[in-house]
């Protein structure tokens, strides 16, 4: 009886080992399920032979696994033979991690793309313009809520979170609809732009599916945003080409319809969902592009900013930067910030500091100095021309960015000099993101009443 | 004791060896490996896993056909069978190997002959056991 129980225990342990071996080998991209079954059958037969010749279960497993060969070499041979497996075809992947068929995702994403295109086109049918009135206020909110809904469905978010998110969106919609904006005023435009940004954490919470409170959850959301922007540009470019060609043909045929006017915005909205589906479908099959882009462009941007700073100091321009140039600088700083964010999300926290990190630090420090100059210029303009909603919003954003860049620079220099662990920078950066969302909320909620809805 | 055989030699010989074994009858990976060990008296030991990319390549080239069957233990096992093209390829490989073998054999004989003749000339100078 005892011997039988022991044998059963040994069997269970062996099964466990084989299971671990299977998941380890199965992770190789070049080795598919059928090959894995073949290899496993071989392993089991080898183990049986060895056990028959006197080895214990554990020993037999070790010898058999070792005889199977070095996994890297094996992987290479399989890859050489089945090279098409390395070029994963993206459309309609066969397996889905959580068991739901990939088709359901594609259908839902496609439906949402169609709905979003419709939302953008409907105001036109009623003679409403997209850049004023009800459509202006609600269309961006609707689109963001659709995106949140997609992830809430996909990640099977629990009911309590659903209600919470819904409340946030309803509050935002009510707020912006019933605020007595002066038409065409700055606060109206600011509110419309900043409200979706303030609601981005909602998208993040839905995306991270309960892991929003963890650094890894937020980092995943950052990575998603990075990939989304790249795939969005790709999709929008191809889509724009398509619309342009169709419009050209329509006009050549003699019809006087301005297709672009309503197809382009509709396409731009639909592209968000198509790009989202692409990013989700590719998962880890394709290398993330955003970090690759940042790796290429970080040194170039660092050089650019150094040149910019040098020329600013040389010409002594500080307070006389004109409005257009100032806006250009702000955009540049935004891009640099995005680079920093995506680089942080892509870097292996255990890796030791290297040349790229030095380039990053240079970029952050020079961006910090440029930001200080921009801040100085904004303060000067406010001092001379007074507070307006736009200037105040820019001021606040810049101060927040300055703090971000300053502390990130300090931490990053610490990382490069081996005094600070990279995970600390990760945690700081992802937690600080909520400050941006909070500021966006302030601009959307507090500014209108504070500036008399002008 | 297994010899350390040049990788290229193993790679070149794997196709004719596998095809020849399969021409004796249908088989599966593990059994093919056993047969190789048997035939070579233990001197040729292939890395277990490496056999399978070879089998897949032969399948892709059309020299063998594969099918899944239930083994005695009830597990599903992939069996391989040589095809018409496989037989033809085997014949061709045999011709090529025999040509190479004949060349080398002639050279080894000449080499042996020169060794024994050099022994009688320089026997006094050659060290013991050479």
């Amino acid at each position: 009886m005892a011997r039988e129980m022991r044998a059963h225990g040994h069997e269970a342990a062996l099964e466990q080992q084989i299971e671990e071996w299977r998941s380890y080998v199965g992770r190789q991209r070049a080795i598919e399920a059928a090959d894995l079954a073949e290899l496993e059958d071989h392993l089991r037969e080898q183990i049986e032979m060895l056990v028959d010749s006197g080895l214990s279960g554990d020993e037999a497993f070790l010898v058999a696994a070792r005889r199977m060969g070095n996994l890297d070499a094996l992987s290479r041979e399989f890859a050489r033979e089945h090279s098409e497996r390395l070029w994963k075809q993206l459309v309609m992947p066969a397996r889905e991690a959580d068991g739901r068929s990939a088709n359901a995702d594609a259908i839902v994403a496609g439906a949402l793309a169609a709905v979003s295109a419709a939302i953008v086109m409907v105001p036109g049918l009623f003679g409403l313009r997209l850049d004023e009135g009800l459509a202006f206020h609600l269309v961006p909110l609707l689109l963001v809520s659709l995106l949140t809904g997609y992830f809430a469905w996909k990640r099977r978010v629990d009911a309590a979170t659903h209600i919470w998110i819904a409340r946030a969106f309803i509050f935002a919609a009510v707020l912006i609809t019933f605020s007595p904006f002066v038409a065409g005023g700055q606060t109206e435009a600011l509110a419309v732009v900043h409200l979706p940004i303030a609601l981005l954490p909602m998208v993040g919470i839905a995306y991270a599916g309960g892991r929003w409170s963890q650094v890894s959850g937020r980092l995943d959301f950052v990575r998603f945003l990075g990939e989304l922007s790249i795939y969005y540009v790709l999709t929008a470019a191809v889509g724009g080409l398509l619309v342009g060609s169709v419009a050209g043909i329509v006009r050549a045929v003699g019809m006087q319809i301005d297709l672009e006017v309503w197809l382009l915005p509709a396409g731009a909205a639909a592209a968000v969902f198509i790009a989202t589906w692409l990013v989700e479908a590719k998962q880890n099959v394709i290398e993330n592009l955003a970090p690759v882009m940042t790796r290429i462009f970080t040194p170039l941007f660092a050089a650019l900013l150094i040149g910019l700073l040098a020329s600013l100091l040389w010409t002594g321009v500080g307070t006389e930067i004109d409005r257009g140039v100032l806006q250009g600088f702000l955009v540049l700083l935004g891009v640099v910030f995005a680079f920093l964010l995506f680089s942080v999300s892509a870097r292996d926290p255990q890796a030791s500091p290297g040349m790229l990190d030095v380039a990053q630090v240079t970029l952050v420090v020079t961006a910090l100095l440029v930001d200080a100059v921009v801040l100085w210029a904004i303060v000067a303009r406010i001092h001379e021309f007074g507070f307006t909603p736009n200037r105040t919003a820019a001021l606040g954003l810049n101060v927040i960015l300055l703090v971000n860049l300053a502390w990130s620079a300090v931490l990053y220099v610490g990382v490069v000099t081996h005094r600070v662990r990279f995970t600390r920078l990760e945690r700081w950066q992802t937690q600080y993101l909520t400050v941006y969302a909070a500021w966006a909320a302030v601009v959307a909620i507090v500014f209108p009443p504070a500036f008399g809805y002008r | 004791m297994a010899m350390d055989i040049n990788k290229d030699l193993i790679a070149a010989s794997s196709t004719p060896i596998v095809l020849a074994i399969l021409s004796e009858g249908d088989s599966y990976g593990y059994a093919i490996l056993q047969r190789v060990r048997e035939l070579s008296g233990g001197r040729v030991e292939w890395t277990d896993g490496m056999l399978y990319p070879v089998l897949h390549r032969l399948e892709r080239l059309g020299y063998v056909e594969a099918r899944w069957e239930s083994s005695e233990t009830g597990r599903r096992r992939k069996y391989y069978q040589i095809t018409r093209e496989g037989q033809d390829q085997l014949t061709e490989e045999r011709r090529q190997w025999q040509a190479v073998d004949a060349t080398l054999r002639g050279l080894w004989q000449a080499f042996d002959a020169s060794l024994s003749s050099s022994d009688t000339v320089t026997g006094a100078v050659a060290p013991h056991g050479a």
Side-chain angles (χ1 to χ4, degrees):
Chain A
M1 177 69 179
R3 199 184 312 155
E4 273 168 24
M5 282 174 65
R6 243 177 306 153
H8 187 70
H10 285 317
E11 257 176 51
L14 185 59
E15 282 306 309
Q16 167 85 334
Q17 278 177 309
I18 295 181
E19 184 58 48
E20 280 169 14
W21 175 90
R22 229 218 321 263
S23 70
Y24 181 58
V25 174
R27 247 180 272 153
Q28 303 300 312
R29 266 196 283 145
I31 301 181
E32 279 191 349
D35 303 338
L36 188 57
E38 220 182 340
L39 289 171
E40 187 192 339
D41 178 54
H42 185 116
L43 186 78
R44 285 180 187 272
E45 184 148 358
Q46 181 75 278
I47 290 177
E48 269 168 34
M49 291 288 163
L50 290 168
V51 165
D52 282 346
S53 68
L55 268 65
S56 77
D58 276 348
E59 292 165 346
F61 174 80
L62 279 173
V63 173
R66 180 119 196 293
R67 284 204 189 160
M68 196 57 80
N70 171 279
L71 189 59
D72 284 335
L74 198 56
S75 221
R76 246 196 314 266
E77 285 306 308
F78 268 96
R80 207 173 298 177
E81 173 49 35
H82 297 277
S83 63
E84 78 281 357
R85 290 180 188 170
L86 296 183
W87 288 96
K88 284 287 186 170
Q89 301 305 326
L90 183 55
V91 187
M92 298 312 162
R95 294 179 278 163
E96 177 73 18
D98 60 359
R100 180 182 282 150
S101 100
N103 288 325
D105 272 352
I107 293 173
V108 171
L112 284 177
V115 167
S116 65
I119 288 177
V120 169
M121 290 198 284
V122 155
L125 290 178
F126 288 94
L128 295 171
R129 287 170 60 94
L130 266 183
D131 54 1
E132 61 190 25
L134 203 63
F136 188 42
H137 295 172
L138 287 181
V139 165
L141 274 185
L142 273 174
L143 293 177
V144 176
S145 67
L146 278 181
L147 189 60
T148 315
Y150 175 65
F151 282 118
W153 165 77
K154 203 171 175 218
R155 304 278 192 260
R156 302 184 224 233
V157 161
D158 62 42
T161 318
H162 259 116
I163 294 175
W164 212 68
I165 293 177
R167 279 203 198 125
F169 276 99
I170 293 174
F171 172 72
V174 164
L175 178 76
I176 201 161
T177 314
F178 292 107
S179 292
F181 289 112
V182 166
Q186 286 183 0
T187 50
E188 188 185 21
L190 281 177
V192 167
V193 167
H194 281 80
L195 213 44
I197 297 176
L199 288 168
L200 262 185
M202 295 295 129
V203 185
I205 290 172
Y207 179 84
R211 289 167 51 230
W212 181 251
S213 50
Q214 299 168 20
V215 174
S216 59
R218 296 186 204 206
L219 276 179
D220 279 345
F221 185 53
V222 169
R223 290 172 189 133
F224 165 74
L225 287 177
E227 291 308 290
L228 182 64
S229 27
I230 292 191
Y231 279 80
Y232 182 77
V233 168
L234 283 176
T235 314
V238 175
L241 200 61
L242 183 67
V243 168
S245 314
V246 170
I249 292 175
V250 160
R251 257 197 291 280
V253 171
M255 291 197 264
Q256 293 299 334
I257 312 174
D258 268 333
L259 267 185
E260 299 111 329
V261 171
W262 42 277
L263 266 189
L264 279 181
V272 171
F273 294 92
I274 296 175
T276 300
W277 174 74
L278 276 176
V279 172
E280 286 284 288
K282 79 171 180 80
Q283 291 182 59
N284 60 349
V285 168
I286 298 179
E287 169 106 35
N288 275 357
L289 283 174
V292 175
M293 293 286 132
T294 58
R295 241 174 269 162
I296 296 175
F297 285 102
T298 294
L300 295 174
F301 265 89
L304 171 67
L305 281 183
I306 291 177
L308 185 63
L309 207 55
S311 66
L312 281 177
L313 293 174
W314 185 263
T315 59
V317 174
T319 58
E320 290 120 38
I321 304 177
D322 88 2
R323 202 157 152 262
V325 175
L326 204 57
Q327 285 169 348
F329 280 10
L330 282 173
V331 169
L332 186 61
L333 282 175
V335 169
V336 168
F337 172 66
F339 267 34
L340 178 63
L341 204 54
F342 298 142
S343 297
V344 166
S345 75
R347 191 188 183 281
D348 174 9
Q350 315 301 336
S352 58
M355 279 316 298
L356 182 64
D357 294 306
V358 173
Q360 279 285 321
V361 171
T362 319
L363 185 62
V364 174
V365 170
T366 43
L368 181 60
L369 295 172
V370 170
D371 194 23
V373 170
V374 169
L375 199 53
W376 183 267
I378 293 179
V379 168
R381 284 184 74 86
I382 289 180
H383 183 74
E384 201 173 325
F385 301 114
F387 279 95
T388 68
N390 276 354
R391 272 180 223 132
T392 323
L395 178 70
L397 185 60
N398 254 8
V399 168
I400 291 175
L401 188 59
L402 193 77
V403 171
N404 190 343
L405 289 173
W407 191 239
S408 294
V410 168
L411 284 181
Y412 221 145
V413 167
V415 166
V416 169
T417 55
H418 297 272
R419 279 181 295 119
V420 175
R421 289 171 62 85
F422 190 75
T423 46
R424 207 168 140 206
L425 178 59
E426 273 179 347
R427 200 175 322 134
W428 146 260
Q429 189 62 71
T430 52
Q431 281 170 350
Y432 195 78
L433 288 177
T434 42
V435 175
Y436 289 93
W439 173 249
V442 163
V443 170
I445 302 175
V446 173
F447 271 35
F451 284 95
Y453 294 97
R454 269 191 293 276
Chain B
M1 195 60 239
M3 284 168 57
D4 237 341
I5 302 187
N6 187 333
K7 258 181 20 192
D8 295 323
L9 202 50
I10 298 222
S13 60
S14 59
T15 302
I17 291 181
V18 170
L19 285 178
I21 292 177
L22 284 178
S23 75
E24 292 176 343
D26 296 358
S27 189
Y28 61 102
Y30 191 77
I32 295 175
L33 269 169
Q34 291 293 80
R35 188 93 177 94
V36 169
R37 215 170 281 151
E38 225 177 84
L39 284 170
S40 67
R43 279 181 301 171
V44 177
E45 283 255 4
W46 289 350
T47 311
D48 289 16
M50 292 300 189
L51 173 62
Y52 292 96
V54 173
L55 284 168
H56 294 176
R57 181 166 53 86
L58 293 178
E59 189 183 351
R60 179 167 55 88
L61 292 170
Y63 299 154
V64 305
E65 255 168 12
R67 66 183 187 279
W68 284 92
E69 271 181 16
S70 289
S71 65
E72 332 70 66
T73 54
R75 276 201 308 268
R76 283 188 7 115
R77 177 172 287 164
K78 201 171 180 189
Y79 283 85
Y80 293 88
Q81 180 183 43
I82 195 170
T83 62
R84 180 77 252 162
E85 292 94 351
Q87 293 283 21
D88 294 339
Q89 179 65 17
L90 182 57
T91 318
E92 173 60 28
E93 297 257 352
R94 185 171 178 200
R95 266 190 344 108
Q96 292 181 8
W97 275 89
Q98 281 171 336
V100 174
D101 181 45
T103 314
L104 278 172
R105 206 170 297 202
L107 286 167
W108 299 145
Q109 280 170 355
F111 188 58
D112 283 339
S114 79
L115 258 186
S116 52
S117 69
S118 72
D119 267 349
T120 54
V121 168
T122 61
V125 189
H128 269 292

